[in-house]
Amino acid sequence: MASFKKYCVTGKFKLANIDPAAVPFLKGDEEAQREELEALAVRLDDLQNKLHAEGRRKLLLVLQGLDTSGKDGTIRWVFSRTSPLGVRVKAFKVPSDDERAHDFLWRCHAAVPAAGEIAIWNRSHYEDVLVPVVEGLIDKAETRRRYAQISDFERLLTETGTVVIKCMLHISKDEQRKRLQARIDQPDKRWKFQMDDLSVRKKWSDYERAYEKALAATSTDYAPWHVVPADSKLNRNLMVANLIVKTLEDMKLTLPPASPALNHLVVQ
Ligand code: AMP
Ligand code: MG
């Protein structure tokens, strides 16, 4: 398996140095790749079951990326075999009036995983250091405070038994053009297209810069960022699936010990 290290954010970095079209996690032909993904999805279900049985620790997967980068598709495929009982998915939208009346982490804290759960965030608290930065709604001092607050929040989570995985799905501008056009051209995809997607696309380089700064400032030992080359959907799915499976395996999950009284118990 390819190494995650190359894609883990450490210090200052440039998104331009990571090729969105790279396919480090693809081996063999497409059939073999689909089989690998299926095997990983099954393995993930088994590990989730153990996480639930252990009932102590938690896993949080943060998915970020620009429109059409594949956040929805990653969740659909990577968790295709995971029981819905064990996962909690939260899609973060433009904050409501009630959410805006609170600090930006309020709605996030409400969506963290409970003991034994996996929570998946489709967008996250990172939107609050992307959209307002690009739109000029917060200044540099406030942005820096938010980076620190995010790292403090993630430290609180990790110190209370949550393993945090953060993935930025990295696509090229041309791949986004194709995917947006497909949403316009294919009637069954049209519902996904919003006019606003085009104005965000116009600010592509501003978003890239905001991402670079946010990821560099918040990639910590306890909650590192991974940049996932995502022009290839299969590469993206395989990288995220491998990362989650490896993380859960490294947690050395164990089933709770059964009571010795069960050894000779026969149900009548
Ligand atoms: P989608 O994920 O395509 O359903 O779109 C959700 C939209 O909500 C995106 O345009 C996000 O940028 C936006 N959004 C989510 N969280 C925030 C936030 N905290 N501040 C501003 N916009 C946000
Ligand atoms: Mg959208």
Side-chain angles (χ1 to χ4, degrees):
M1 194 213 312
S3 158
F4 298 113
K5 212 169 158 204
K6 188 170 166 202
Y7 299 97
C8 187
V9 176
T10 47
K12 277 198 176 152
F13 83 108
K14 287 256 165 266
L15 273 173
N17 292 342
I18 301 166
D19 180 6
V23 289
F25 286 83
L26 295 190
K27 290 185 306 258
D29 59 14
E30 193 177 321
E31 198 186 333
Q33 293 155 10
R34 291 195 185 281
E35 276 170 14
E36 187 193 350
L37 184 59
E38 172 67 7
L40 284 163
V42 170
R43 179 90 191 106
L44 177 53
D45 178 51
D46 181 50
L47 287 160
Q48 188 285 319
N49 220 15
K50 282 210 179 94
L51 184 75
H52 171 72
E54 186 194 74
R56 213 160 39 82
R57 287 176 288 173
K58 311 123 188 179
L59 187 79
L60 171 61
L61 173 66
V62 173
L63 289 174
Q64 279 290 157
L66 290 170
D67 291 314
T68 75
S69 59
K71 301 178 292 294
D72 299 6
T74 302
I75 297 169
R76 180 191 301 263
W77 290 106
V78 173
F79 294 91
S80 63
R81 292 301 201 119
T82 312
S83 167
L85 272 175
V87 291
R88 208 139 98 83
V89 189
K90 169 80 181 167
F92 288 92
K93 305 289 179 185
V94 175
S96 66
D97 288 347
D98 193 25
E99 288 168 348
R100 266 191 214 290
H102 294 83
D103 69 84
F104 76 99
L105 290 170
W106 179 72
R107 65 175 185 165
C108 301
H109 214 159
V112 300
E117 268 183 355
I118 296 179
I120 308 163
W121 290 359
N122 184 334
R123 304 189 188 266
S124 66
H125 45 325
Y126 285 94
E127 291 293 317
D128 293 281
V129 285
L130 295 167
V131 181
V133 170
V134 170
E135 297 301 329
L137 302 176
I138 58 173
D139 63 13
K140 283 195 170 136
E142 174 61 9
T143 308
R144 269 198 303 273
R145 272 196 297 276
R146 288 191 184 186
Y147 293 155
Q149 288 156 354
I150 286 174
S151 290
D152 286 345
F153 172 60
E154 292 174 0
R155 189 169 46 77
L156 162 77
L157 295 184
T158 53
E159 286 176 356
T160 50
T162 305
V163 175
V164 181
I165 304 177
K166 301 186 291 193
C167 291
M168 188 247 172
L169 308 183
H170 179 40
I171 52 165
S172 63
K173 199 171 175 189
D174 196 47
E175 181 63 23
Q176 189 194 54
R177 182 187 59 72
K178 288 183 201 151
R179 292 185 188 182
L180 283 175
Q181 192 65 52
R183 285 185 183 180
I184 294 167
D185 295 344
Q186 296 174 24
D188 62 329
K189 285 193 174 175
R190 243 176 224 179
W191 65 273
K192 275 195 158 192
F193 182 79
Q194 290 164 312
M195 282 315 247
D196 189 44
D197 296 348
L198 296 182
S199 42
V200 173
R201 176 171 167 79
K202 286 207 180 99
K203 297 172 187 158
W204 184 272
S205 51
D206 295 339
Y207 271 98
E208 279 206 323
R209 230 166 305 132
Y211 261 106
E212 281 165 355
K213 287 188 184 149
L215 268 54
T218 58
S219 195
T220 53
D221 292 345
Y222 52 88
W225 269 107
H226 287 87
V227 176
V228 178
D231 277 4
S232 153
K233 294 177 181 177
L234 260 172
N235 179 75
R236 172 200 79 202
N237 291 341
L238 282 166
M239 178 166 170
V240 176
N242 270 299
L243 186 59
I244 301 170
V245 165
K246 181 179 185 313
T247 304
L248 284 165
E249 280 173 348
D250 288 349
M251 286 168 76
K252 307 261 178 276
L253 299 162
T254 49
L255 298 175
S259 158
L262 296 187
N263 284 349
H264 306 288
L265 192 61
V266 177
V267 178
Q268 299 298 331

